[in-house]
Amino acid sequence: DRSFSRASLGLNFPGVPDRIGPFSVQDARVTGRVALLDLASRSRLRAARTAVGASEADVQATSDNAALAAAQAYLTLERAEALVRARQADITIADRLRALVEVQHRAGTVAGLEQTRAEVQVTAAKSGLVSARGAVDRARFDLLRTLGADISQPVATADTLSLPMLADAAAADSLVHLATMNRPELVAIDRQLAAVRQFRQSVRQELLPTIGLAADYGYNGKYFNDAVLTHTLAVQLTWTGFDGGRTGARTAEQDAQLAGIAARNREVRDAVEAETRTSLAGFATARDLVATARERDRLAELELSQAEDRFRTGLAGSLDVISAQSSVNRAQTDLIDALYGYNTARLSVLRAVGRLSSL
């Protein structure tokens, strides 16, 4: 239902009233518009896609942290199981001494005190085994909790502590470069920087003209039975020459975000470089400690063998054998700890250079 002012329509004919209408008009149409050129929208789309990439990198960083925690828990379980095997070996060694003492006692070459000492060693070895088995249970529970699994289910390990040693790590500078390329934290920050730059560009491009296509099609008439088909097809140019400073304010906001992210980028890069160099130094130290621990373990076994031979021939007492047994115990424990430290250092290097997923 429409009515018009004659003057507003530019009509000035005698007899035409000031107000035309009201009268009914039937109109049914379909209207559509499509942008042909909108640089600001295209920049916003690119920025949104880049922001999605940054979020994916953040997810990868979180995943790497979870993987590192799980790997460390797994190594802790392997260390505990290795200590159980070492304590079982201690019992075997203590039983061997007890058997030697019994033979010597029946031959009348040693006193009853030697038997008591041998029994004490067996009891101490069994106590150590009980403690080591308790540590295995705790490590297994910790691993299952870290994995989010049922703590009642069994866990099978592959004894990766005794895997062959890796070759020396590459030069520190090359690994630092690798870390800056692969670390998901840095990838996320780089993508955040790119996204903010693209958003900033889109804000500035909002002042540029946009070109669009508009179409209109439908029936128009006083009644539908006598309505006619009408249409409109137009190319539209829209240009905002001045927006009251809104674009400048939004650009300044994006500049502030860029400055903040850039500062964080420098901070994270410095931290990644420090972490990489520290982990490499720890890795080199861990390799040397494993070599030293293996040599000490070999010498402790040799010392025990010699002490047992001297005891059989009556040239030494059981205290020498017990002392050698203690040396073997400590050497085995130190070797297990050195292997655990080496594998932990290896994890740190892989984490530092962003290659944890290669495990």
Side-chain angles (χ1 to χ4, degrees):
D1 189 52
R2 296 180 178 176
S3 61
F4 300 95
S5 168
R6 173 182 57 79
S8 67
L9 295 176
L11 299 177
N12 188 17
F13 300 109
V16 177
D18 291 338
R19 176 180 178 182
I20 301 174
F23 55 91
S24 297
V25 175
Q26 308 298 324
D27 189 77
R29 20 200 1 91
V30 176
T31 301
R33 291 181 178 85
V34 61
L36 298 179
L37 178 62
D38 189 341
L39 297 178
S41 295
R42 293 178 62 182
S43 295
R44 284 194 295 269
L45 178 59
R46 289 197 301 269
R49 288 173 175 170
T50 305
V52 170
S55 299
E56 292 173 349
D58 284 335
V59 170
Q60 182 61 47
T62 303
S63 177
D64 283 355
N65 291 334
L68 178 62
Q72 289 175 335
Y74 180 84
L75 288 178
T76 301
L77 175 59
E78 283 200 333
R79 174 182 178 274
E81 291 180 343
L83 288 174
V84 167
R85 293 190 291 271
R87 300 295 82 84
Q88 289 172 337
D90 291 343
I91 294 177
T92 301
I93 294 173
D95 284 335
R96 194 164 66 208
L97 173 62
R98 181 170 59 181
L100 287 174
V101 170
E102 288 178 353
V103 172
Q104 298 283 34
H105 181 68
R106 284 195 299 269
T109 57
V110 297
L113 177 61
E114 302 290 352
Q115 285 186 304
T116 302
R117 287 173 177 168
E119 291 293 340
V120 169
Q121 283 299 104
V122 172
T123 303
K126 290 180 178 179
S127 176
L129 177 60
V130 172
S131 178
R133 284 174 173 167
V136 168
D137 291 336
R138 292 191 297 272
R140 182 174 65 86
F141 293 150
D142 289 341
L143 174 59
L144 291 172
R145 280 197 298 267
T146 302
L147 296 175
D150 183 2
I151 63 173
S152 63
Q153 71 180 60
V155 177
T157 58
D159 191 21
T160 56
L161 286 182
S162 58
L163 288 177
M165 303 288 285
L166 295 177
D168 289 335
D173 290 340
S174 63
L175 287 181
V176 168
H177 175 71
L178 182 64
T180 58
M181 298 295 294
N182 292 334
R183 281 292 287 268
E185 299 96 323
L186 292 176
V187 173
I189 292 177
D190 288 340
R191 291 177 179 175
Q192 288 173 6
L193 277 172
V196 174
R197 290 191 181 104
Q198 289 167 349
F199 275 123
R200 182 181 182 277
Q201 183 182 19
S202 71
V203 171
R204 297 181 65 87
Q205 289 175 340
E206 289 178 358
L207 293 178
L208 298 178
T210 62
I211 300 175
L213 181 65
D216 179 287
Y217 181 85
Y219 286 92
N220 183 268
K222 188 172 182 181
Y223 304 103
F224 274 120
N225 56 4
D226 64 356
V228 296
L229 287 172
T230 62
H231 71 272
T232 302
L233 182 63
V235 176
Q236 296 179 332
L237 175 66
T238 304
W239 182 26
T240 303
F242 179 70
D243 63 355
R246 181 174 61 90
T247 298
R250 293 176 60 193
T251 301
E253 179 184 0
Q254 299 296 324
D255 288 339
Q257 290 187 20
L258 278 174
I261 297 176
R264 182 167 172 264
N265 187 21
R266 292 190 296 270
E267 179 183 352
V268 174
R269 286 184 182 277
D270 291 343
V272 167
E273 180 176 355
E275 179 184 348
T276 303
R277 295 186 184 277
T278 301
S279 63
L280 286 174
F283 180 79
T285 301
R287 283 181 56 87
D288 294 340
L289 287 175
V290 169
T292 302
R294 282 176 172 167
E295 179 64 14
R296 180 183 175 188
D297 182 64
R298 185 187 69 81
L299 293 175
E301 292 284 354
L302 179 61
E303 178 188 5
L304 177 60
S305 177
Q306 293 173 347
E308 288 177 343
D309 289 341
R310 289 172 59 83
F311 181 74
R312 289 190 188 95
T313 59
L315 297 177
S318 62
L319 288 178
D320 293 331
V321 179
I322 292 172
S323 176
Q325 288 177 348
S326 298
S327 296
V328 170
N329 179 293
R330 291 192 298 271
Q332 289 178 340
T333 301
D334 289 345
L335 177 58
I336 292 171
D337 288 340
L339 288 170
Y340 172 78
Y342 165 78
N343 282 275
T344 301
R346 179 189 173 204
L347 284 177
S348 297
V349 172
L350 291 173
R351 170 70 174 85
V353 300
R355 289 294 181 86
L356 194 61
S357 58
S358 64
L359 285 177

